[in-house]
Amino acid sequence: MPVSFGALRGLAKEIQVSSHDARPLVVGGARELAAVLRRELGKDAKPGGVRQSDDPRGGAVLVYVLTHDPSEDDEQALERARRARVPIVAVAIGKVS
């Protein structure tokens, strides 16, 4: 299901506003696009509210950007989030199966 960038940003802002703790939103995956997404999501965030990393530990949510079928590195990052019990929002850009 395609989701606009605005909808994703709204979701991230809702997560940050409704959170009762100070854990950051973690953005990982495709480096260049993850950096753009982190910058956009961080515009209205408190300092440290959005972190770019494939390590989800300590995060409220991992937003993971995919531009291709998941590689072994992608699968390992998502597995780390699962083990750390950090919710995952996967953003697929382009053709991902």
Side-chain angles (χ1 to χ4, degrees), residues 9 32 34-44 50 52:
R9 185 170 182 190
E32 290 179 17
V36 171
L37 183 57
R38 181 188 54 79
R39 185 176 58 246
E40 289 298 315
L41 293 175
K43 283 183 178 178
D44 297 324
V50 179
Q52 184 169 349

Side-chain angles (χ1 to χ4, degrees), residues 12-90:
K13 287 172 81 173
E14 180 65 29
I15 290 168
Q16 290 174 332
V17 168
S18 67
S19 177
H20 294 290
D21 60 38
R23 295 181 300 166
L25 186 73
V26 180
V27 180
R31 292 199 192 290
E32 290 179 17
L33 293 175
V36 171
L37 183 57
R38 181 188 54 79
R39 185 176 58 246
E40 289 298 315
L41 293 175
K43 283 183 178 178
D44 297 324
K46 295 177 184 175
V50 179
R51 182 179 85 208
Q52 184 169 349
S53 175
D54 286 345
D55 184 356
R57 291 178 292 182
V61 174
L62 171 64
V63 179
Y64 201 81
V65 182
L66 291 166
T67 58
H68 50 73
D69 289 342
S71 67
E72 188 174 322
D73 288 342
D74 295 325
E75 290 177 3
Q76 288 174 356
L78 296 170
E79 178 62 21
R80 283 192 298 270
R82 187 192 67 76
R83 280 191 305 240
R85 300 186 149 211
V86 174
I88 301 166
V89 175

